[in-house]
Amino acid sequence: MSLALFSSILIDGVTYAMILFMITVGLSMTMGLMRVVNLAHGAFAMLGGFLAASIPQRLGVPIGLGFVLAIALVAVLAVVFERTLLRRFYGRDDLDQMLVTIGLMFVATAAVNLMFGSSVTSVALPEAFAGSVDLGFRAIPRHRLIVVACGLAVVIALWLTVDRSSFGIRVRAAVDNAPIARAIGIDTTKIYAGTFAIGAALAALGGIAGAEMLPMEPTYASKYLVILLAVVAVGGNGNLFGSFFAALLLGIVETSMKYMVPQLASAAFFLTMIIVLLFRPQGLFGRQA
């Protein structure tokens, strides 16, 4: 394998992995914390991408500010969704949760199709993201380096939030034993809403950052649903580093096969998932029930 090929696989694989991580970490934390199977999670990434593409044009604001507004709007919509509908399904059967969230995914798909059209929508990048960095043996698009840096910043920020803050202590208490957490005065309702909003915002960020590799289209949420669930399953529900390393593993495996045997890329992705779950049914970092 040549150095150029190896670097291409590594750079593209890690970039793809960071996109998967940013989108799925919120889903993993939601499933681990609230015990809700939210199959509509990919819709947050889709909405983030479409809003980021349209807000700068419609409001006449800079592209970077449009990104921030898109992420904030998705977080607000997520809180409304969690408080008005999803909360009513806490403690219900998994099938009920799956049916209502997959129904909402199709509602979001129809809404995006109505508002933005049925064609693939491109997300314009700020000028600072354009161009490339020359390593001598290969020029790397600056955008991909920024995506990788963004993914690493997210994992560090989440680690500090979950492991080194009072909010993180309350989150872990709610995960381990919600009734006891409520008994000692922890407002689990706000914890759930805050966690859900953060997860949705990160999904929107991942959708915007990854629009080049995972194009924005109305079928986005359903098209990538199984991929997102695979990352969560391999990493283990509710585990930050599980999501990170699962995304790295699956992202690099699929990217490697795309370069070497493109026809087997998807098969390699899911075969890796199957092998991991055969030996680690709870995922790489999941805890035994």
Side-chain angles (χ1 to χ4, degrees), residues 76-219:
V76 171
L77 291 173
V79 171
V80 172
F81 166 57
E82 191 273 338
R83 291 204 165 192
T84 59
L85 181 61
L86 192 62
R87 184 173 299 178
R88 301 174 187 272
F89 288 84
Y90 293 165
R92 297 273 290 267
D93 291 341
D94 289 349
L95 181 59
D96 291 348
Q97 297 171 0
M98 292 170 64
L99 288 174
V100 72
T101 55
I102 203 167
L104 285 166
M105 179 186 71
F106 286 116
V107 169
T109 297
V112 166
N113 195 19
L114 179 64
M115 291 187 294
F116 302 103
S118 58
S119 60
V120 174
T121 298
S122 61
V123 178
L125 298 176
E127 291 184 8
F129 289 25
S132 59
V133 177
D134 190 359
L135 298 181
F137 57 89
R138 188 192 175 209
I140 304 174
R142 184 176 286 112
H143 167 247
R144 300 205 171 187
L145 293 179
I146 292 173
V147 170
V148 172
C150 189
L152 294 175
V154 166
V155 74
I156 292 171
L158 286 178
W159 174 70
L160 291 174
T161 300
V162 173
D163 285 7
R164 295 290 185 271
S165 72
S166 59
F167 176 76
I169 293 172
R170 292 194 295 271
V171 168
R172 295 199 302 275
V175 170
D176 290 336
N177 196 318
I180 295 297
R182 287 192 291 268
I184 62 174
I186 295 176
D187 190 341
T188 56
T189 299
K190 291 183 179 178
I191 293 290
Y192 290 168
T195 303
F196 198 79
I198 291 171
L202 290 175
L205 174 62
I208 295 168
E212 178 194 11
M213 302 184 80
L214 303 178
M216 282 296 128
E217 52 188 321
T219 58

